[in-house]
Amino acid sequence: MTCNWIEIPLGDFIELKRGYDLPKSKRLKGDKPIISSAGLSDYHSESKVTSPGVVTGRYGTIGEVFYIEEDFWPLNTT
């Protein structure tokens, strides 16, 4: 079996972005997952990202990666 790999800049294939601030005092009851650098941490009434998504931490649990199959809110730690 052979593979036909092509080389392209990473930014042409994916978009890397920092998560969004959402203090606990601003969270509203809902069904949208809030993802922190440690994974699922809570739920909110709205999402910031359309699924699917891959989330990794900016600090804390650096190196862990989470695949999210529904719209979600990535916290600023991601």
Side-chain angles (χ1 to χ4, degrees):
M1 178 175 14
T2 62
C3 293
N4 295 319
W5 291 91
I6 60 169
E7 289 189 33
I8 61 172
L10 185 60
D12 289 352
F13 184 68
I14 63 170
E15 179 181 8
L16 297 175
K17 293 181 72 174
R18 176 189 177 277
Y20 301 90
D21 295 334
L22 185 61
K24 288 185 179 182
S25 62
K26 302 278 185 179
R27 296 177 189 179
L28 302 173
K29 186 175 179 174
D31 62 350
K32 304 299 181 190
I34 299 173
I35 309 298
S36 71
S37 59
L40 177 65
S41 65
D42 204 351
Y43 291 90
H44 185 52
S45 62
E46 68 177 283
S47 60
K48 279 284 196 180
V49 176
T50 303
S51 64
V54 176
V55 177
T56 189
R58 294 188 305 115
Y59 64 89
T61 55
I62 294 174
E64 286 197 52
V65 177
F66 305 95
Y67 179 75
I68 314 301
E69 293 183 329
E70 57 190 303
D71 295 354
F72 63 99
W73 187 297
L75 283 179
N76 62 356
T77 60
T78 63

